[in-house]
Amino acid sequence: MVRIGYTMMTEQAGPRELVQHVVRAEEASFDFSVTSDHYFPWLAEQGHSPYAWSVLGAAAQATSRIPLMTYVTCPTMRYHPVVVAQKAATMQLLSDGRFRLGLGSGENLNEHVVGGGWPPVDVRHQMLEEAVEIIRALFEGGHVNHRGEHFDVESARLWDLPDQPPPIGIAVSGKRSCALAGRLADLVIATEPKPELLEAFDRGGGEGKPRVGQLPVCYDPDRDAAVERAHAQFRWFGNGWKVNSELPHPDSFASATQFVRPDDVAASIPCGSDPDDFVEAVRPYAEAGFTEVALVQVGGESQHAFLDWSERTLLPALRKAFG
């Protein structure tokens, strides 16, 4: 069985609209939801980037059933890990236990805003590992002091703790991050349906733990309009994580994708209104062993139409195909 989720894409809608969207996703019977945590959109055409944690707090109060999750938060530069721990504990309380904390080593696009340069990937992994250690220590209660290679913590304590701390997910893209996630995470997060990522996660200690993927889709009754919108707003998606994590600005993504054609995007993102196309796009995740897949509908203004169609057509088709 594959659980189907909905993505609150902060890069393409404002804060009030995002909350409205997840309320409708709950009504439409999506199994869970995830939220991006950006300072910049990927491309200027997307046009938004509100503070994800304020959106999450509002979403927790506006919904009652649908699980919430960051997909993902970087706990090393823009946010200190003690602040992430406090935010996550508060979200778990606000949501009555529906929150999962998705973490990753970050993207230059969002983390450069605080200065200090952009570390190489091996240092980013070291920082993430140390941050997870701090967050878990704070979740246990009591005062935490820490003198590490990358972070210092001075007598920190979380005064409002849930009975059960939020599960921690870690995003992976290669062998090192998979080994780290297998050792430290309660679940694994990926944006590509690569079986080798899950196999490496299992070898690192992740066997039996949930595995969450994400898939961009572009519903529209007019397939040509869907392809045009997907190209305008999501042509960066095919760059791969080694490129996407390094570029510093939406203008950089525009330059890096200037030769990407609409047909190139349509080859990797299902576009239009044929549910079979969307089912076949989810299938590689199911076959790779993902237990959950969060869909990202491209285009902020198209969310309500997508959610209506999902309730009526797409979700029944996906559940028939994958349980």
Side-chain angles (χ1 to χ4, degrees), residues 176-193:
R176 284 181 293 184
S177 56
C178 287
L180 190 153
R183 188 171 71 256
L184 299 178
D186 302 307
L187 56 138
V188 69
I189 294 165
T191 58
E192 297 177 284

Side-chain angles (χ1 to χ4, degrees), residues 178 194-204 211 288:
C178 287
K194 293 181 176 179
E196 59 266 29
L197 294 177
L198 302 186
E199 292 164 3
F201 174 64
D202 287 346
R203 288 195 299 272
R211 41 216 67 204

Side-chain angles (χ1 to χ4, degrees), residues 258-286:
Q258 62 182 310
F259 298 116
V260 176
R261 301 168 301 175
D263 287 348
D264 298 327
V265 175
S268 59
I269 296 177
C271 295
S273 59
D274 185 343
D276 291 342
D277 293 340
F278 291 67
V279 168
E280 290 310 308
V282 171
R283 191 173 303 281
Y285 288 88

Side-chain angles (χ1 to χ4, degrees), residues 214-251:
Q214 191 177 50
L215 172 70
V217 301
C218 197
Y219 163 77
D220 198 291
D222 182 340
R223 187 177 184 277
D224 290 340
V227 172
E228 181 179 354
R229 186 168 68 246
H231 178 259
Q233 296 194 27
F234 254 75
R235 61 186 183 274
W236 55 271
F237 188 77
N239 287 343
W241 204 247
K242 289 185 178 180
V243 174
N244 287 343
S245 64
E246 302 294 338
L247 298 178
H249 195 273
D251 290 348

Side-chain angles (χ1 to χ4, degrees), residues 69-80:
M69 177 180 176
T70 50
Y71 205 98
V72 296
T73 288
C74 176
T76 62
M77 298 186 68
R78 189 165 38 115
Y79 308 135
H80 192 283

Side-chain angles (χ1 to χ4, degrees), residues 159-176:
W159 287 86
D160 289 278
L161 273 172
D163 292 335
Q164 294 294 327
I168 293 176
I170 292 180
V172 301
S173 59
K175 291 182 179 179
R176 284 181 293 184

